[in-house]
Amino acid sequence: GAVVSQHPSWVICKSGTSVKIECRSLDFQATTMFWYRQFPKQSLMLMATSNEGSKATYEQGVEKDKFLINHASLTLSTLTVTSAHPEDSSFYICSASTIAGGLVLDEQYFGPGTRLTVT
Amino acid sequence: GEDVEQSLFLSVREGDSSVINCTYTDSSSTYLYWYKQEPGAGLQLLTYIFSNMDMKQDQRLTVLLNKKDKHLSLRIADTQTGDSAIYFCAESIGDYKLSFGAGTTVTVRA
C-alpha cells in the first residue's frame, strides 16, 4: 500500500519550453502533496506544499509563477516548470500524505522522482 | 549551509555493522527519521524516533539520538547486500515539513 508514482521518470526539454510532471497516489487519497528538488550530492529541498483544492504554499525563494502546482484531485498533483532553463535541471521528487495539516507521524510517501534535463 | 548533515559515502563488508551518522539543527523537531532509497524507487521510511527517546531498536536497526549534541545515528547489524542503498536522515520542522540531509550511499561489499 501507499504507492506514489511519477511521470515521466525522466525528461529532456529545450530551454524556454514548459514541462509538466505528474504525481499520483495509486492506492490512497492524498490530501497533501509535497514537491522537492534535489541537486546532485545535495539534500532534498522542499519547494512547495499543496492541499487538494487549495493553492500551493511555496517555500521561500521558490518562484510560484515558474513552478506551477495543481492539486485538482485527491490522487493527482502536477508540477509545471514554465520557461525552463538549464539551471532548472534537477531531480524532482513528490511525496504524498493522507492527513491534511498536522500529521501524527509526519510520514510522507515518496514517488521515485523525475529527472529533468534542460538543454 | 544545510540544516541536516550526513556523510556522503559508507562502504561496509557483508556481515559487519554499518553506522550512519547525522547532525541536525532544529532542537524543536518532534520526530527524526531515516529513509532508504533504492535505485529507481522512492524514499521509503525505514524507521523513526520520537524526540524524547534516546534509542529505538527495530530488528537489525538501532537508532540512537543525542539531543544535546543534535546527533542521530542509524546502526544496521549484520549488513546484507540488500542494504545497499542511499539513506537519508530527516527532521520534522513544523507540523508536517521535513528537512533532509544529502543522503549517505551505503555500499556493501562481499
Side-chain angles (χ1 to χ4, degrees), chain A residues 43 59 101 104-106 108 111, chain B residues 31 33 42 92 95-97 100-101:
Chain A
S43 59
E59 296 300 301
V104 174
L105 179 57
D106 293 350
Q108 299 174 22
Chain B
Y31 291 99
Y33 311 85
S92 59
D95 285 341
Y96 50 80
K97 295 181 182 179
F100 286 87

Side-chain angles (χ1 to χ4, degrees), chain A residues 32 34 36 38 41-46 49 51 57 59 91 93 101-113, chain B residues 2 4 8-9 30-31 33 35 37 40-45 48 88 92-103:
Chain A
T32 305
F34 306 84
Y36 295 84
Q38 185 182 29
K41 294 185 173 54
Q42 294 185 30
S43 59
L44 281 74
M45 298 299 295
L46 180 66
T49 304
N51 290 304
T57 301
E59 296 300 301
F91 196 54
I93 301 171
L103 306 178
V104 174
L105 179 57
D106 293 350
E107 183 169 1
Q108 299 174 22
Y109 303 98
F110 286 82
Chain B
E2 295 181 349
V4 180
L8 292 180
F9 301 99
T30 307
Y31 291 99
Y33 311 85
Y35 282 84
Q37 185 180 35
L43 278 71
Q44 288 191 311
L45 183 62
Y48 66 94
F88 290 89
S92 59
I93 46 171
D95 285 341
Y96 50 80
K97 295 181 182 179
L98 301 180
S99 178
F100 286 87

Side-chain angles (χ1 to χ4, degrees), chain A residues 65-76:
Chain A
D65 294 330
K66 181 170 183 62
F67 299 100
L68 301 178
I69 291 172
N70 185 285
H71 190 168
S73 77
L74 286 171
T75 60
L76 173 65

Side-chain angles (χ1 to χ4, degrees), chain B residues 35-52:
Chain B
Y35 282 84
K36 178 182 181 182
Q37 185 180 35
E38 296 182 80
L43 278 71
Q44 288 191 311
L45 183 62
L46 197 59
T47 187
Y48 66 94
I49 188 167
F50 192 48
S51 59
N52 68 352

Side-chain angles (χ1 to χ4, degrees), chain B residues 10 12-20 46 56-63 74-83 87 106 108:
Chain B
L10 175 67
V12 61
R13 192 164 52 187
E14 189 175 8
D16 288 351
S17 292
S18 308
V19 179
I20 308 168
L46 197 59
K56 179 180 180 181
Q57 187 151 1
D58 184 2
Q59 299 182 335
R60 292 191 296 121
L61 305 177
T62 302
V63 179
L74 173 69
R75 178 177 180 268
I76 305 173
D78 187 24
T79 309
Q80 303 297 308
T81 54
D83 295 324
Y87 292 81
V106 173
V108 181

